[in-house]
Amino acid sequence: MPEGDTIFRAAQTLHRVFAGKVVTRFESVYPHLTRIDADRPIAGRTIESVASVGKHLLMTLSGDLILRTHMRMNGSWYVYPTGAPWKRPARDMRVLIGTADAVAVAFNVPVAEFLTARELSRHRQMRALGPDLLGAAFDRAAVAAAIQTRRDPIADVLLDQRVLAGIGNVFKSEILFIAGVHPFERAAALRAEQIGRIVEVAREQLRANVLPASRTLSSAIGRRTTRSLNPAEKLWVYGRGGQPCRRCGASIESRAMGVDARLTFWCPQCQKSQG
Ligand SMILES: [Zn+2]
């Protein structure tokens, strides 16, 4: 699942390439988008900005129209010079926005809609979003206090975008390993300094993973939480069930949890349960 850092990098790249440019071409397989294009044409509008809010990507066009996309599990945005071959099959295209120089193609993006600024401000999912870990106005104390009130396992709480926007399944396991906290510990049972550490690590890791954006925006680019230069040692625990812990050698454990049975990974030695 794309995480906050991936969406943030995608938005940065799209903003760099497209901000201030005039749209010359618009296509989509979604009738609710092409209907709006027919009524209020997208071509001819200027792309004013592209930004991420949590895991939502917002492209603001002149004339009060905002394209909101959410990548969910498999969606991605790619940028190609106009006329260049795509590296993904055309049948996966969901939305395409082109200018004279470049095209932005959203592949397998399941959520896409046009909104006015007023509609966006009233949007239920957007209003429900917790503080963005990559946002400038991030308030650690408020987020820590919100986490402390929850009775669910801390691993579930970190994925709840209403508490904290930007953490996906990979970072969830990595952050808890670095913070030394067992993933199934109830949030409300954690000490204040443990929660403070989790929030600090979460912000550090997401920021560290916002690398200079590359042209290709796949979800796996550059993500690393260890400082190892060995590309095979990028992550501490995620995807490493049964392998030895990079710190203590204990066998990494994994378990499916939550409604969609996403896997959680942890080291039983470095992340001791208090209960
Ligand atoms: Zn360990």
Side-chain angles (χ1 to χ4, degrees):
M1 172 169 50
E3 312 210 19
D5 64 319
T6 308
I7 318 290
F8 186 89
R9 284 201 306 265
Q12 269 188 328
T13 298
L14 290 168
H15 183 82
R16 201 186 61 230
V17 176
F18 291 102
K21 302 286 172 63
V22 175
V23 178
T24 55
R25 183 179 167 202
F26 175 80
E27 289 174 30
S28 179
V29 298
Y30 293 129
H32 60 275
L33 295 186
T34 53
R35 204 179 311 130
I36 287 185
D37 182 40
D39 286 350
R40 309 172 58 194
I42 306 307
R45 292 172 190 261
T46 301
I47 299 166
E48 293 179 346
S49 66
V50 186
S52 62
V53 178
K55 296 182 190 174
H56 303 258
L57 190 138
L58 304 175
M59 178 182 281
T60 303
L61 303 166
S62 60
D64 193 21
L65 209 55
I66 299 158
L67 174 65
R68 176 183 82 94
T69 54
H70 193 291
M71 306 203 208
R72 290 274 159 80
M73 304 297 267
N74 299 312
S76 56
W77 275 96
Y78 282 71
V79 177
Y80 301 108
T82 298
W86 298 355
K87 297 195 175 87
R88 300 279 299 268
R91 66 172 182 276
D92 291 345
M93 184 279 274
R94 298 293 178 270
V95 184
L96 178 156
I97 293 202
T99 64
D101 317 314
V103 289
V105 189
F107 292 104
N108 293 322
V109 166
V111 179
E113 63 178 345
F114 282 121
L115 300 164
T116 64
R118 187 180 171 82
E119 286 166 342
L120 182 70
S121 71
R122 294 170 160 201
H123 198 281
R124 205 193 301 151
Q125 263 180 291
M126 301 292 296
R127 283 170 65 116
L129 274 181
D132 189 333
L133 269 170
L134 293 168
F138 185 76
D139 181 345
R140 279 167 208 232
V143 170
I147 292 174
Q148 188 90 67
T149 64
R150 300 289 299 268
R151 297 182 48 77
D152 313 293
I154 182 66
D156 284 346
V157 174
L158 289 184
L159 288 183
D160 186 337
Q161 303 297 307
R162 292 168 302 184
V163 175
L164 200 57
I167 298 177
N169 207 36
V170 177
F171 276 124
K172 173 195 81 181
S173 291
E174 295 294 296
I175 288 163
L176 291 173
F177 175 83
I178 295 168
V181 174
H182 194 281
F184 300 124
E185 208 76 73
R186 291 186 183 284
L190 294 172
R191 297 190 305 277
E193 61 266 31
Q194 288 179 298
I195 293 179
R197 173 91 179 117
I198 290 167
V199 173
E200 200 176 295
V201 170
R203 191 156 151 92
E204 271 168 20
Q205 288 300 321
L206 256 77
R207 286 173 90 103
N209 278 278
V210 178
L211 303 170
S214 78
R215 191 167 276 279
T216 304
L217 304 170
S218 82
S219 61
I221 290 175
R223 178 167 300 145
R224 60 171 67 234
T225 55
T226 64
R227 298 249 164 95
S228 170
L229 295 175
N230 181 343
E233 295 177 1
K234 280 185 184 176
L235 298 173
W236 289 108
V237 291
Y238 185 83
R240 300 194 61 244
Q243 296 179 46
C245 172
R246 300 194 196 284
R247 260 190 201 147
C248 74
S251 181
I252 300 296
E253 296 191 11
S254 67
R255 191 189 300 169
M257 62 191 287
V259 276
D260 40 11
R262 284 184 287 217
L263 283 172
T264 297
F265 297 86
W266 74 99
C267 170
Q269 283 299 322
C270 297
Q271 296 164 267
K272 285 228 195 284
S273 171
Q274 300 169 58

